[in-house]
Amino acid sequence: LREAMVMACSGDVSGLVARSQNQQGLPLGRTDSYGSTVMLRADHVHGLLAGALVLVLGFDEGGFSPATWVWSVVPLAIVAGSLLSGQARRPSPLELGFLAALAGLLGWTLISTIWSLDPTASLLDAQRLLLYVSTAAALVLLARPGSRPSLLAGVLVAITVLCVAGLADAAVGDDPIGTATDDPGSEDRLAEPIGYANGVAVLASMGMLLALGLAFVAARRSLRVACVLLIPCLALTQYLTYSRGGWLALAVGLLALLVVRLGSLDRRIVVVGGVVLLLAVTVAGVAFARSFSAPTTTPAEGAARLRTLSGSSRADYWRVALRTVEDEPLLGSGSGSYRRTWYRNRSVPQPARDAHSLYLETLAELGPLGLLLLLVALGLPLAAAVTARTDPLTPPALGAYVAFLAHAAQDWDWELPAVTVPALACAVALLLTGRRRWAPLGQAARFMGGAVAVVLVVVSLAAYAGNRELALAENGSDRSARRAARLQPWSAEPWRVLGEAQLERGELDAARESFREGLSRDDGDWELWIDLALSSEGSARRDAFARAVRLNPRDPDLLELREE
């Protein structure tokens, strides 16, 4: 009875496991039912962890807010528990390189606070990156021979749930669809539940590629039909986002999936099909590039957006990032500082927080070393896919992962954990194809790694406490603002929030003192200089406004306010 229940609950996972393990020369199963039960439960941990993280982050505004990064405690606790209990397995060289590159990127991000134009943002970037490192480490260390099917299935289910929730909100919700972008027509685009239409689009693209790839390898007809039936739902979600970059990412991911999937067919069919698809993508790319630098003229009428080729100011974003590379060629301006370099050097009044290109922004903020660490981390799964291209699970994982990489080149997916975590899960699924030994880690490595993980759990909880108090302070709590200032003594944000509340109540002396406290920690924040000007008089007022204008010279509201 136990064996039958396991087989029913696992669906087609066992079939996929058998095929995948057979490709790797691994044992196809256990001889006793109890052993098989334990094996399947261990294999399912990956799917449950990845799927649950994607869901909780997706329904919490995509994980964009710092208060949501406390979820890094979960994979960190799992890492600590697996290491200290001896359940962790020894990673392969590629997996170790992947984790080391991510950890190196985290360390370099923290070091960049020394010279960063925005040290508070640098620390926040490090907190987000810790979520990625801990998730990747948990998925790698807990891997078992049959984990990959469950991992991909869990990600697909989570993406589908988020897309269905977005469709339901668009159908019966009474609030505007999109709220996270200033682009024209954003209110007509499906952006829920993560809050950004382009983020929903790349999630739907990854889901379609996973569903298509898994439909090819599913052993049962019912599961193949289920995967195929998910594709129209995901395609409708992507269409309603009206995201041009999402469709381009889907095309690139589909090309990668088909090249690997069709590799076992007649070579002539592969060559002809690949050339046709490559030409189609090239023609679309050339047409897109010719109008990419045009001003943002996106129409407000939904689907008409798909017929435009404007880059929505991306050419301007990238130009400022390249200027930063010229000004700071070795170290960059510091992680998370792009927003300030944009306000200082922009040629249009369009607001922006990110360069809308993960790779260019990393080069501008962290210099060549930061970009190298990022490329190593993101490139190793591609290397694993090349060596394991005959594995049946490589096409879906590679297609979804490549779609993310292509979309991240022209948007800020890295800042949305609900989008990046599925990509990391696909990356781990690719890396696991190269593991041949599943031996446990040595005792020294286990205890050292477990101790580090426990320390990081404490650090994550402390960071969450500060982020939570700051979020409460933004709702008008002076007590929370002062608590946030104690928990984040390096940050100017608690003092800005406290001072603005005092200014609103007419407490000018207290407000000026709060703003000066904030500026003593970060004198590059133009908003703090505006606040100080509004709470001051005479020459102090004029000097503060002048400083704010130097930091943000093209803000029309600021110029008008200074004249008044």
Side-chain angles (χ1 to χ4, degrees):
L1 178 61
R2 181 167 56 246
E3 183 77 9
M5 291 176 63
V6 169
M7 292 176 63
C9 294
S10 64
D12 196 46
V13 170
S14 58
L16 290 175
V17 169
R19 296 180 64 179
S20 177
Q21 290 175 334
N22 192 36
Q23 291 284 346
Q24 303 179 54
L26 297 171
L28 295 181
R30 301 286 186 88
T31 56
D32 59 286
S33 60
Y34 179 76
S36 178
T37 302
V38 175
M39 181 71 170
L40 286 175
R41 285 180 178 172
D43 290 343
H44 292 168
V45 170
H46 275 67
L48 291 174
L49 174 61
L53 273 178
V54 173
L55 283 176
V56 296
L57 292 169
F59 282 113
D60 199 353
E61 299 178 349
F64 180 76
S65 171
T68 65
W69 302 337
V70 67
W71 288 108
S72 62
V73 170
V74 175
L76 281 173
I78 292 176
V79 168
S82 65
L83 287 170
L84 296 177
S85 65
Q87 297 299 313
R89 295 295 183 263
R90 188 187 305 277
S92 68
L94 282 181
E95 294 163 25
L96 278 176
F98 175 68
L99 295 179
L102 283 177
L105 185 60
L106 172 60
W108 189 240
T109 298
L110 285 170
I111 294 173
S112 74
T113 58
I114 298 172
W115 63 83
S116 177
L117 294 177
D118 192 348
T120 299
S122 300
L123 288 171
L124 290 176
D125 274 6
Q127 292 179 37
R128 185 196 302 112
L129 193 52
L130 179 60
L131 172 62
Y132 299 158
V133 174
S134 61
T135 300
L139 294 178
V140 166
L141 294 177
L142 287 180
R144 297 295 185 271
S147 294
R148 292 186 304 131
S150 174
L151 180 58
L152 297 179
V155 170
L156 175 58
V157 170
I159 290 176
T160 303
V161 171
L162 293 176
C163 289
V164 170
L167 290 174
D169 184 78
V172 302
D174 57 358
D175 56 331
I177 295 178
T179 57
T181 176
D182 295 311
D183 287 344
S186 61
E187 66 277 3
D188 298 321
R189 304 174 61 193
L190 192 155
E192 298 302 329
I194 70 174
Y196 185 50
N198 291 345
V200 175
V202 70
L203 271 181
S205 295
M206 295 169 67
M208 281 188 278
L209 293 166
L210 285 172
L212 179 63
L214 292 177
F216 281 132
V217 299
R220 294 183 182 179
R221 182 179 179 183
S222 59
L223 290 177
R224 291 198 302 270
V225 172
C227 287
V228 171
L229 290 178
L230 291 180
I231 296 177
C233 172
L234 297 168
L236 177 60
T237 302
Q238 175 152 320
Y239 172 75
L240 291 178
T241 65
Y242 307 131
S243 171
R244 297 155 295 175
W247 289 107
L248 182 60
L250 176 63
V252 176
L254 183 61
L255 177 62
L257 184 152
L258 292 179
V259 166
V260 177
R261 175 62 190 170
L262 300 178
S264 59
L265 299 180
D266 187 281
R267 188 178 300 274
R268 291 170 295 179
I269 298 176
V270 176
V271 171
V272 173
V275 169
V276 171
L277 188 55
L278 182 60
L279 285 176
V281 173
T282 302
V283 170
V286 171
F288 185 66
R290 292 184 62 182
S291 301
F292 188 78
S293 299
T296 301
T297 55
T298 306
E301 298 293 334
R305 188 179 194 276
L306 295 173
R307 298 193 294 271
T308 65
L309 297 177
S310 168
S312 298
S313 298
R314 280 173 174 77
D316 296 313
Y317 302 151
W318 297 349
R319 192 177 299 114
V320 170
L322 288 172
R323 177 174 175 178
T324 304
V325 174
E326 295 174 357
D327 294 339
E328 302 289 345
L330 295 179
L331 298 178
S333 58
S335 185
S337 63
Y338 177 81
R339 180 171 180 260
R340 295 199 175 170
T341 59
W342 168 254
Y343 282 124
R344 291 184 183 185
N345 302 315
R346 61 181 174 171
S347 58
V348 293
Q350 177 79 8
R353 297 179 62 93
D354 303 286
H356 288 67
S357 172
L358 170 62
Y359 317 111
L360 184 54
E361 184 173 330
T362 301
L363 179 61
E365 293 182 347
L366 293 174
L369 178 57
L371 180 61
L372 177 63
L373 290 169
L374 176 70
L375 293 180
V376 169
L378 298 182
L380 286 176
L382 298 178
V386 171
T387 59
R389 54 187 177 275
T390 59
D391 189 282
L393 292 178
T394 295
L398 179 64
Y401 184 59
V402 168
F404 168 83
L405 296 181
H407 199 266
Q410 43 92 29
D411 222 312
W412 45 279
D413 304 324
W414 193 255
E415 283 72 26
L416 284 172
V419 176
T420 302
V421 167
L424 292 176
C426 293
V428 171
L430 292 171
L431 290 167
L432 291 177
T433 58
R435 192 187 295 192
R436 295 294 180 265
R437 298 181 59 191
W438 302 86
L441 280 171
Q443 186 173 8
R446 287 194 295 107
F447 282 105
M448 288 181 60
V452 171
V454 170
V455 171
L456 291 177
V457 167
V458 176
V459 171
S460 295
L461 290 174
Y464 166 69
N467 294 337
R468 180 178 180 275
E469 292 296 338
L470 184 57
L472 293 174
E474 291 174 348
N475 294 326
S477 172
D478 286 8
R479 173 182 290 185
S480 293
R482 296 186 185 279
R483 285 178 178 171
R486 289 194 296 270
L487 291 168
Q488 300 177 342
W490 61 85
S491 176
E493 279 297 295
W495 295 106
R496 181 186 62 80
V497 173
L498 176 61
E500 288 177 353
Q502 294 166 336
L503 181 61
E504 186 176 356
R505 295 194 298 265
E507 302 171 4
L508 298 183
D509 293 338
R512 282 195 298 272
E513 184 64 26
S514 295
F515 296 141
R516 290 193 180 106
E517 284 285 346
L519 288 169
S520 68
R521 290 160 173 77
D522 183 4
D523 62 356
D525 188 341
W526 62 273
E527 291 177 303
L528 267 175
W529 285 108
I530 293 176
D531 289 334
L532 181 60
L534 293 175
S535 61
S536 304
E537 296 178 349
S539 61
R541 183 184 185 91
R542 290 191 297 271
D543 292 343
F545 268 124
R547 185 65 178 270
V549 170
R550 285 199 297 271
L551 295 172
N552 188 5
R554 291 190 178 272
D555 190 301
D557 296 331
L558 177 56
L559 295 175
E560 181 181 353
L561 191 60
R562 185 180 65 169
E563 292 300 325
E564 293 178 356

